[in-house]
Amino acid sequence: MSHKYINVMVSHHGCWSELTSGNYIDTLINIEYSSFDVLKASRIAMIRGSKENIKGQIKNIMTKDRSIIDFDISEIVSDNNKYSIYLISMLQEAENTMISKLRAKGTSIIGTTIRDGKEIYDVIVPRDVKTLVVDAIIKDDRVKIINFVEKDVNEEIIFKVISRNSFEMLLTEKERMLLRKARELGYFNVPRDRNSQELAKQLGVSKMNISFSLRKILKKISDLMD
């Protein structure tokens, strides 16, 4: 049976995810189900900016979601001046989660991220259940689809999903925007459709700024390969 890859970004009204800011990004690392229809999820969260009362801010967000039964927040990296990294474990009523809705329709979830107050899901589905998956999303009036991408599955897609979530946690929004714009303008094409000077002109910055920013991004990529 052939399969399809679906990437869907949603806003989830009433969920704790919509209360997170642009400085917050996390990725799901583990889920478990109990016999009482309770989902246990573990997430790695990165929060950029001031460390002042970050843990208290996360707690405040969690307590506003009535579907969360219990949660625990542990700081696992605290010696970096640019961001803090936390392990978040939570117990949640399974029926209120997008994960449960997607799994119930026969999907294989290969990536789940919260970024900019939106939930992003990467799933593999048998071709004959794709419509059921879409229906499961749009039938929940608390959920609004922001972006939807559907492709045939291949090894390049799988590799991108596996590597993207960890990589994007290290990039700032400006760095992600630069990469998107550079790709759109053909900067990474061979041969290039735009050079660094033309890219800088499009973005309204100096050529030196572009070169410095791209070197920083490449350094982050190389650090992941150690």
Side-chain angles (χ1 to χ4, degrees):
M1 179 186 297
S2 58
H3 288 69
K4 301 290 285 187
Y5 159 76
I6 293 175
N7 170 272
V8 59
M9 175 189 290
V10 303
S11 59
H12 196 166
H13 180 65
C15 180
W16 66 275
S17 61
E18 74 168 349
L19 301 175
T20 59
S21 69
N23 291 327
Y24 177 99
I25 183 170
D26 81 16
T27 189
L28 182 73
I29 58 173
N30 187 57
I31 54 172
E32 300 174 20
Y33 285 87
S34 77
S35 57
F36 301 101
D37 199 29
V38 172
L39 181 147
K40 179 180 180 181
S42 298
R43 316 184 73 96
I44 292 290
M46 176 181 287
I47 301 94
R48 293 187 179 88
S50 171
K51 294 179 180 296
E52 185 177 352
N53 199 28
I54 287 179
K55 193 171 182 179
Q57 293 175 30
I58 299 175
K59 286 182 177 180
N60 184 51
I61 288 172
M62 295 290 178
T63 55
K64 291 182 178 179
D65 188 331
R66 295 181 180 179
S67 72
I68 295 178
I69 301 167
D70 196 11
F71 62 87
D72 182 69
I73 305 168
S74 303
E75 188 173 21
I76 56 178
V77 174
S78 59
D79 57 352
N80 191 300
N81 293 325
K82 295 181 179 179
Y83 50 78
S84 302
I85 300 177
Y86 291 84
L87 173 64
I88 301 176
S89 300
M90 66 175 71
L91 298 178
Q92 194 170 11
E93 297 172 358
E95 65 178 359
N96 289 307
T97 66
M98 276 287 295
I99 292 172
S100 295
K101 289 180 172 62
L102 291 171
R103 284 170 61 97
K105 299 302 180 181
T107 70
S108 297
I109 300 175
I110 57 175
T112 302
T113 305
I114 293 174
R115 186 178 72 228
D116 299 329
K118 306 294 188 299
E119 300 175 10
I120 305 166
Y121 298 91
D122 296 285
V123 301
I124 303 295
V125 300
R127 194 179 295 270
D128 60 349
V129 303
K130 184 192 68 176
T131 302
L132 297 178
V133 172
V134 176
D135 287 346
I137 298 173
I138 63 178
K139 283 183 178 179
D140 189 334
D141 58 8
R142 299 173 305 161
V143 177
K144 179 182 178 181
I145 296 178
I146 305 299
N147 190 49
F148 186 94
V149 176
E150 173 195 334
K151 296 180 180 179
D152 291 327
V153 177
N154 58 45
E155 65 275 9
E156 182 180 356
I157 285 175
I158 300 299
F159 176 78
K160 283 182 178 179
V161 172
I162 292 173
S163 60
R164 185 188 64 218
N165 289 341
S166 57
F167 178 54
E168 286 196 349
M169 289 183 74
L170 297 178
L171 295 183
T172 65
E173 176 56 31
K174 287 184 178 180
E175 289 170 337
R176 293 198 297 269
M177 183 275 292
L178 171 59
L179 286 181
R180 286 194 296 268
K181 193 65 176 180
R183 185 172 61 243
E184 291 170 3
L185 295 174
Y187 178 82
F188 298 116
N189 291 350
V190 181
R192 286 176 175 166
D193 296 333
R194 297 285 193 280
N195 58 33
S196 57
Q197 184 170 348
E198 292 170 318
L199 179 58
K201 184 177 180 180
Q202 286 284 335
L203 295 174
V205 297
S206 68
K207 179 181 177 181
M208 182 178 295
N209 181 288
I210 291 293
S211 298
F212 178 71
S213 296
L214 289 174
R215 284 200 302 271
K216 284 181 63 179
I217 293 170
L218 288 174
K219 175 65 166 57
K220 291 180 179 181
I221 294 174
S222 67
D223 287 345
L224 286 175
M225 300 173 66
D226 288 344

